[in-house]
Amino acid sequence: MAAGNGSHLFHSTAAALAALALGCASAQPAPRCDGPEARQFDFWVGEWQVFDFASGKPAGMSRIEKLYGGCVLRENWTSDGFQGGSLNTWWNGDKQWHQVWMDQAGALRHFVGGLADGRMVLVARQPDPKDATRTLLVRLSFTPIADGTVRQYSDTSSDGGTSWRARYDFLYRRIQ
């Protein structure tokens, strides 16, 4: 086969693959997260400096951005020597918000919940590290404040939600 014929075959194949890829890309369905529920957590989107609510001392930095057609919020958290993050989305399947948190310590938590009394409240159920036969609940609540800050409070329960113990209380301030 002459060198020119092989080159022609290569270019024809490349053009056909490019056309197929464009056809597939244009056939993708529009995002299915344009309802008001999918925007309930938008108050958390931004770049933040995070402080301990009580003491005012710096606690870390967080960047929350919208991805995948606005259907997913991705959080990137950093503090002194620690990094983690989450993916957050409204799922029409169960009409709830879902957050999956992972970090450099190997933690993996799946939080589920939604908007309640103006706050985003999410709860994860996991084995209690002190007693694997028991379930530990980890709760997060995010409260938008009129001045544009966001308060994130977390607590845990080892008795099925009868009593709760504070984990942390943060205030998110936008970085301008």
Side-chain angles (χ1 to χ4, degrees):
M1 180 188 286
N5 289 344
S7 176
H8 175 71
L9 180 61
F10 172 77
H11 290 295
S12 296
T13 303
L17 289 173
L20 180 61
L22 285 173
C24 289
S26 64
Q28 296 294 323
R32 296 251 172 180
C33 53
D34 54 0
E37 298 88 356
R39 302 292 163 251
Q40 292 172 336
F41 214 176
D42 283 2
F43 65 83
W44 195 36
V45 174
E47 292 200 40
W48 306 90
Q49 188 169 8
V50 184
F51 299 88
D52 179 83
F53 191 82
S55 72
K57 292 181 180 178
M61 305 289 286
S62 193
R63 180 178 184 194
I64 294 85
E65 58 189 329
K66 294 173 83 165
L67 301 173
Y68 315 127
C71 293
V72 175
L73 300 182
R74 178 174 60 190
E75 168 195 19
N76 287 299
W77 169 267
T78 59
S79 59
D80 290 336
F82 185 77
Q83 295 177 334
S86 66
L87 294 175
N88 304 263
T89 193
W90 168 260
W91 186 43
N92 279 324
D94 64 1
K95 307 293 186 211
Q96 295 191 83
W97 274 90
H98 292 258
Q99 179 185 94
V100 178
W101 167 268
M102 294 155 279
D103 60 38
Q104 73 183 53
L108 171 65
R109 292 191 180 102
H110 179 200
F111 294 88
V112 179
L115 208 56
D117 300 321
R119 300 178 303 145
M120 182 62 66
V121 180
L122 307 169
V123 178
R125 299 175 189 284
Q126 65 185 59
D128 187 331
K130 296 176 184 172
D131 181 356
T133 64
R134 296 174 59 178
T135 299
L136 180 68
L137 302 178
V138 181
R139 181 171 57 186
L140 304 173
S141 65
F142 301 83
T143 307
I145 301 172
D147 65 2
T149 60
V150 174
R151 185 175 185 178
Q152 181 184 358
Y153 179 79
S154 181
D155 50 8
T156 62
S157 175
S158 58
D159 59 11
T162 302
S163 62
W164 293 87
R165 190 178 82 242
R167 292 179 63 222
Y168 60 80
D169 192 358
F170 290 155
L171 183 67
Y172 284 59
R173 290 190 184 130
R174 288 189 190 279
I175 298 172
Q176 301 296 339

